[in-house]
Amino acid sequence: MLDIKNAVKVFEQGTMIEHTALDHLSLHLDDGDFVTIVGSNGAGKSTLFNAICGSFFLNEGSIHLDGVNITLMPEHKRALHIGRVFQDPMRGTAPNMTIEENLSLAHSRSTARALSFAPSKKERALFRDRLAEFGMQLEDRMKTKVGLLSGGQRQVVTLLMCTIVTPKLLLLDEHTAALDPATAKKVMEITEKIVRDSHLTTMMITHNMSAALTTGTRTLMMDKGRILFDISGGERSKMTMDTLLKMYSNSTNEVFDNDRMLFENAK
Ligand SMILES: Nc1ncnc2c1ncn2[C@@H]1O[C@H](COP(=O)(O)OP(=O)(O)OP(=O)(O)O)[C@@H](O)[C@H]1O
Ligand SMILES: [Mg+2]
């Protein structure tokens, strides 16, 4: 489904501050894999997502999605097949448009007609049904401007926008990190429901180590642009957060350092 071979990305090449953000990284995902990704700050997690989405081209290596070589495909073309949710609830939706207009815009990608933010009657019914599944009463607020919603509500609308047309791949970049713990939990439950119901192949970056080991089917630990550990099956079900952190420090001779994780533990 996703095949990344020997991906290399060097930033600021040829300058004093040249650094390698992806270092000969290879990764294979099967259909329906739900992979969580952890790693210290600057490990290259978001850069990996940017590479998959085509925010830049790789210096070396290749990316195939569903058998198609997308290594040199422009970002806007990949966006038709890849859904992405960011940490910042302000990204991903248009604040001055209503919930139904945002969803309509996302849904019109699937149809032959031009991009449209005026929903048909049928579309409106579909959006209402889908929103009602989440138990946030958003189905009663379809004409509310998205800018007036809370962060958690906006993330749910973004999630639905990204998945209303089933993507080949869903990328979640710490999409609950800016939310309070109760809202984060609710958005995670909704995420898992969407992934399960649509059988989505999903990659989720998180700073929450215990969520990384209990959500999805496989956990990647990244470090310095490489995949340090790839844990699944029985090994994963037995793995604790402490063991994972010990494995990290034994392998790198460094203490795991992610500011958002430390912040989370201090709360
Ligand atoms: N567009 C860019 N230009 C220059 N350097 C970049 C760019 N994007 C990322 N980097 C650098 O690449 C490295 C990896 O960054 P990345 O954002 O992928 O880390 P991360 O694992 O997502 O970290 P965090 O947990 O802090 O979000 C860092 O050294 C970062 O400064
Ligand atoms: Mg990041």
Side-chain angles (χ1 to χ4, degrees):
M1 128 63 50
L2 179 72
D3 237 316
I4 303 179
K5 289 219 171 75
N6 260 311
V8 175
K9 180 63 196 174
V10 181
F11 285 117
E12 316 289 352
Q13 199 159 22
T15 72
M16 297 277 286
I17 52 165
E18 172 173 318
H19 54 279
T20 302
L22 295 178
D23 187 5
H24 297 91
L25 181 148
S26 294
L27 173 66
H28 175 83
L29 256 61
D30 284 321
D31 258 340
D33 272 355
F34 186 168
V35 173
T36 60
I37 305 177
V38 291
S40 48
N41 294 124
K45 305 179 294 295
S46 299
T47 302
L48 174 61
F49 280 11
N50 287 334
I52 295 169
C53 291
S55 310
F56 50 70
F57 291 145
L58 296 173
N59 295 80
E60 285 176 45
S62 64
I63 307 177
H64 286 74
L65 182 63
D66 238 4
V68 178
N69 186 346
I70 61 165
T71 315
L72 295 172
M73 186 185 280
E75 187 169 21
H76 68 274
K77 284 202 177 148
R78 299 189 207 191
L80 297 175
H81 306 291
I82 302 173
R84 187 172 186 183
V85 186
F86 293 90
Q87 181 181 344
D88 182 357
M90 308 301 258
R91 280 176 87 161
T93 43
N96 288 319
M97 283 168 38
T98 65
I99 293 181
E100 65 175 24
E101 286 169 347
N102 271 279
L103 289 170
S104 178
L105 203 55
H107 191 243
S108 64
R109 285 184 317 179
S110 68
T111 56
R113 66 192 170 95
L115 283 185
S116 159
F117 53 83
S120 64
K121 218 170 146 187
K122 212 168 133 196
E123 281 182 317
R124 195 170 277 134
L126 168 73
F127 302 158
R128 181 167 296 121
D129 285 352
R130 292 301 310 272
L131 288 167
E133 290 171 19
F134 305 142
M136 286 183 122
Q137 281 75 51
L138 288 170
E139 66 278 16
D140 301 328
R141 303 185 63 187
M142 300 229 302
K143 294 200 186 296
T144 300
K145 284 192 174 159
V146 164
L148 298 173
L149 300 179
S150 71
Q153 290 167 336
R154 276 185 85 149
Q155 289 302 65
V156 170
V157 174
T158 307
L159 268 169
L160 188 53
M161 283 178 73
C162 288
T163 53
I164 191 108
V165 179
T166 307
K168 289 188 172 148
L169 185 65
L170 177 64
L171 303 177
L172 308 168
D173 193 343
E174 303 215 39
H175 71 304
T176 64
L179 309 175
D180 66 79
T183 310
K185 187 164 174 274
K186 177 79 187 152
V187 173
M188 257 325 295
E189 284 166 10
I190 291 172
T191 305
E192 291 190 83
K193 176 176 167 44
I194 291 175
V195 169
R196 201 173 44 239
D197 291 353
S198 301
H199 309 288
L200 297 176
T201 307
T202 305
M203 300 172 80
M204 179 177 84
I205 298 172
T206 177
H207 61 270
N208 184 326
M209 297 291 242
S210 78
L213 290 170
T214 52
T215 312
T217 52
R218 185 173 162 193
T219 300
L220 306 179
M221 163 77 86
M222 281 188 68
D223 185 57
K224 298 190 175 68
R226 292 170 300 128
I227 293 170
L228 201 55
F229 307 121
D230 184 344
I231 309 160
S232 57
E235 186 193 12
R236 186 175 188 258
S237 50
K238 278 185 250 132
M239 182 73 61
T240 63
M241 193 167 127
D242 280 349
T243 316
L244 187 58
L245 292 177
K246 266 187 209 123
M247 278 167 63
Y248 176 86
S249 37
N250 287 343
S251 161
T252 61
N253 285 323
E254 285 169 23
V255 176
F256 189 85
D257 179 20
N258 185 308
D259 53 2
R260 287 194 282 283
M261 181 179 144
L262 297 176
F263 175 69
E264 181 101 334
N265 289 339
K267 277 197 282 198

